[in-house]
Amino acid sequence: MLYVSTRGKSDLVSSAYAINRGLAKDGGLFVPQSFPKIRLSDIKAMEKKPYTERAIDVLFQFLTDYTEDELRECVEQAYTTIKFGDNPVPLVPVTANTSVLELWHGPTSAFKDMALQLLPHLMTKATQKNGEDRKVVILVATSGDTGKAALEGFSDVQNTEIIVFYPSEGVSDIQKQQMITQMGKNVQVYGIEGNFDDAQRGVKQIFGDENMARELAEKGYVFSSANSINWGRLVPQIVYYFSAYVDAVKAGSIKLGDAINFVVPTGNFGNILAGYYAKLMGLPVERLLCASNSNNVLTDFINTGIYDRKREFYKTISPSMDILVSSNLERLLYAVSDGDAEDVAVLMNKLNEEGNYKISGEALKKIQSQFFAAWVDEVETKEAIGRVYADHSYLMDTHTAVAWRALEKYRFLTSDNTFTIVLSTASPYKFCNSVLEAIHDNKENEANPFALLRKLEAETKLPIPIRMEALEKLPVLHKQVIPVDQMAETVMNNLK
Ligand SMILES: *Cc1c(COP(=O)(O)O)cnc(C)c1O
């Protein structure tokens, strides 16, 4: 299996190369040349397997330059009981036709762990395979969750260095505390005076800077990315769509072969794209529901075919989705253009230069046949948390609640009552303040984030994630906040 760039001006590369580099030379994203097929009988066979073996089944189809034993080594180091508990991805039935897939049982309490616990192991092996002797510098722009998950994954991983940029005023208290207390000899964390899009743009600029790349190469470094533009981030996410489907069959919610819906709280379009890829591989999926918060650029895009990032940016209570440029959409455009990379390159240039683009009617039709999109405001998000907790004793975080409410809108509009899996992307503790306000329906006055954790625990009896509770006693190691235009020089001056 070889990989091409979505912009067509890059050579065919192996998966190890794609994982090592992150971004293609022409600025595009790596995608597999074709999609391997998984048969219903293969899916059935997954029923008896633990998550790690299900993961190998899927990964092996894409990462063909890794041996099965190498992949086994990677997944067994990633999805350990110590890090994820007995079941890394529980599927929790909430109503007769709705189950929630909890993707946040990893070390940082957000779904990013599913990929970022595995990526460093894939990366280390990729470095060996490529005969790369330079040190890999991982640059991360984060809206909150990727940063911590990447830090946790790469901390003290040999021959790597990781540098994280987060919007200093754009993450939750717990998210910030998680990042600024991160230990490890090879980690750096900086707040930036800007939002996530600024951080992401800054990182992309650094990647695209040939002079910097040359200077780095001379010093013995090479850049890579742990953002979901990296193929090594996406492929582990395909696994849990299969796993969730298999568990729904096992639970008797559906019969093998039934097509189901997934609803995904979406920001950079990485998670939901993995669901689309699972469908391309043969997973019986009816519809993928793309849920956004007030930053509803994707809702507009899927409904009209026009992508326009020139709009007001809102800071919401689901900050991991506060994004106006969804990088992975480029991979979907490539897929629906039947691999017309030139077309994709034109659209991406237009987005860069003018801030918007419009796709063809034909491409839009294809997208609309697979996806439905809706957005959910702050009041609706909190209302959904409060109501689902009251009616079903199920507590959701703000991101999951956006997905839940979007599903309700879909069902109302379409009368489609197909069995649906809601992807739950964060523990309610990660956004404790908003969750407490939602279940009390009033303003929360407690400001100390750790007092808030204890308050939610006392009330709901759900245990606080151990690592989150422990943050309170950890020393702050990373205090620096920098202007956006100093990101590049900060990187160059601080390599270890
Ligand atoms: C990253 C994140 C999202 C958005 O996922 P994408 O893959 O960027 O679409 C949603 N919810 C949470 C909690 C996240 O951390």
Side-chain angles (χ1 to χ4, degrees):
M1 167 81 59
L2 293 173
Y3 290 78
V4 291
S5 165
T6 47
R7 301 193 193 171
K9 296 234 162 45
S10 206
D11 297 335
L12 288 174
V13 302
S14 66
S15 63
Y17 184 93
I19 289 170
N20 243 178
R21 287 309 167 92
L23 208 62
K25 278 203 185 80
D26 60 2
L29 308 183
F30 287 116
V31 285
Q33 245 186 330
S34 63
F35 281 86
K37 294 285 182 279
I38 290 193
R39 290 165 310 190
L40 227 43
S41 56
D42 301 327
I43 296 175
K44 178 155 181 55
M46 286 184 188
E47 267 186 45
K48 295 196 184 64
K49 298 180 183 180
Y51 190 75
T52 44
E53 291 298 317
R54 293 175 185 178
I56 294 165
D57 283 357
V58 175
L59 295 172
F60 193 56
Q61 305 283 331
F62 288 103
L63 309 182
T64 48
D65 45 337
Y66 291 67
T67 66
E68 198 173 327
D69 284 344
E70 285 175 328
L71 291 175
R72 181 161 291 112
E73 225 177 277
C74 290
V75 298
E76 283 179 354
Q77 289 178 67
Y79 305 118
T80 62
T81 312
I82 291 174
K83 287 178 183 159
F84 284 88
D86 290 333
N87 180 1
V89 284
L91 183 67
V92 182
V94 177
T95 72
N97 63 352
T98 316
S99 291
V100 175
L101 181 66
E102 294 182 348
L103 296 170
W104 41 262
H105 291 273
T108 77
S109 304
F111 93 99
K112 306 288 197 295
D113 288 327
M114 296 309 300
L116 280 165
Q117 281 299 318
L118 184 59
L119 180 65
H121 301 292
L122 296 176
M123 183 81 79
T124 307
K125 290 224 165 16
T127 307
Q128 293 159 5
K129 283 177 193 302
N130 293 330
E132 177 66 76
D133 49 11
R134 292 172 294 183
K135 195 175 196 179
V136 180
V137 181
I138 312 287
L139 294 185
V140 181
T142 183
S143 58
D145 290 330
T146 299
K148 176 59 181 180
L151 287 164
E152 196 65 36
F154 280 96
S155 170
D156 289 330
V157 170
Q158 265 198 357
N159 227 16
T160 68
E161 202 172 308
I162 171 159
I163 306 178
V164 169
F165 297 98
Y166 69 94
S168 68
E169 302 296 322
V171 298
S172 81
D173 287 334
I174 290 290
Q175 287 177 318
K176 185 180 266 183
Q177 203 64 24
Q178 283 182 320
M179 287 189 279
I180 63 180
T181 57
Q182 178 66 46
M183 289 181 254
K185 289 193 282 294
N186 62 338
V187 310
Q188 297 179 54
V189 179
Y190 300 97
I192 61 146
E193 296 164 356
N195 60 32
F196 170 71
D197 287 310
D198 296 321
Q200 180 160 257
R201 190 158 14 87
V203 164
K204 278 188 184 166
Q205 259 163 19
I206 296 174
F207 277 124
D209 188 329
E210 284 178 18
N211 288 329
M212 228 172 133
R214 203 172 318 116
E215 206 177 314
L216 274 173
E218 282 164 14
K219 292 185 177 168
Y221 299 98
V222 59
F223 282 135
S224 188
S225 167
N227 279 97
S228 54
I229 53 172
N230 193 315
W231 179 251
R233 263 287 297 278
L234 270 180
V235 68
Q237 296 180 172
I238 300 173
V239 177
Y240 50 71
Y241 284 89
F242 281 94
S243 182
Y245 184 91
V246 168
D247 286 340
V249 173
K250 238 175 145 173
S253 304
I254 52 169
K255 291 192 308 295
L256 185 74
D258 287 352
I260 67 171
N261 296 333
F262 288 94
V263 50
V264 188
T266 298
N268 227 352
F269 211 75
N271 198 1
I272 195 168
L273 183 73
Y276 177 66
Y277 285 165
K279 182 173 185 183
L280 291 183
M281 292 174 74
L283 187 69
V285 177
E286 183 67 39
R287 276 273 174 124
L288 293 157
L289 280 47
C290 175
S292 298
N293 64 24
S294 308
N295 295 296
N296 54 7
V297 60
L298 285 168
T299 314
D300 286 349
F301 172 70
I302 291 171
N303 289 328
T304 66
I306 298 171
Y307 195 97
D308 189 356
R309 69 167 161 82
K310 288 200 289 195
R311 58 176 69 214
E312 195 172 338
F313 176 85
Y314 298 100
K315 267 168 57 175
T316 73
I317 55 172
S318 47
S320 303
M321 298 154 68
D322 289 349
I323 291 175
L324 294 181
V325 180
S326 295
S327 299
N328 273 298
L329 197 59
E330 180 168 349
R331 287 187 162 112
L332 179 67
L333 296 178
Y334 182 83
V336 298
S337 75
D338 292 324
D340 186 345
E342 222 165 288
D343 227 39
V344 176
V346 168
L347 295 176
M348 290 301 112
N349 279 336
K350 187 146 185 309
L351 180 65
N352 242 343
E353 280 156 24
E354 294 164 43
N356 57 43
Y357 61 80
K358 181 172 196 270
I359 58 171
S360 72
E362 198 186 331
L364 179 61
K365 243 195 230 144
K366 278 191 200 163
I367 291 175
Q368 289 177 339
S369 70
Q370 309 286 324
F371 294 87
F372 168 89
W375 69 279
V376 174
D377 71 22
E378 310 275 286
V379 174
E380 292 173 307
T381 304
K382 284 188 176 167
E383 188 274 333
I385 295 173
R387 181 164 43 80
V388 171
Y389 186 60
D391 292 353
H392 305 289
S393 304
Y394 186 76
L395 189 66
M396 302 182 288
D397 95 293
T398 47
H399 303 75
T400 310
V402 167
W404 185 281
R405 185 73 194 106
L407 171 62
E408 289 175 344
K409 292 186 181 192
Y410 170 77
R411 284 184 172 152
F412 179 77
L413 281 171
T414 62
S415 309
D416 174 8
N417 285 315
T418 301
F419 178 78
T420 300
I421 292 177
V422 178
L423 274 66
S424 175
T425 48
S427 154
Y429 280 103
K430 215 160 181 181
F431 303 94
C432 209
N433 186 324
S434 306
V435 170
L436 276 165
E437 288 190 351
I439 57 179
H440 293 149
D441 196 21
N442 64 19
K443 184 120 190 67
E444 178 54 59
N445 291 318
E446 177 58 62
N448 179 324
F450 298 98
L452 285 170
L453 296 183
R454 288 187 282 270
K455 197 167 169 181
L456 189 61
E457 182 175 53
E459 186 149 339
T460 62
K461 309 287 184 264
L462 293 172
I464 304 174
I466 299 163
R467 283 181 170 84
M468 209 182 283
E469 198 166 23
L471 290 174
E472 191 172 13
K473 303 223 160 60
L474 295 180
V476 172
L477 302 173
H478 311 277
K479 293 191 176 128
Q480 235 175 309
V481 177
I482 60 167
V484 179
D485 61 10
Q486 281 174 24
M487 285 171 63
E489 95 189 49
T490 302
V491 170
M492 287 311 273
N493 294 340
N494 291 288
L495 292 172
K496 290 177 179 161

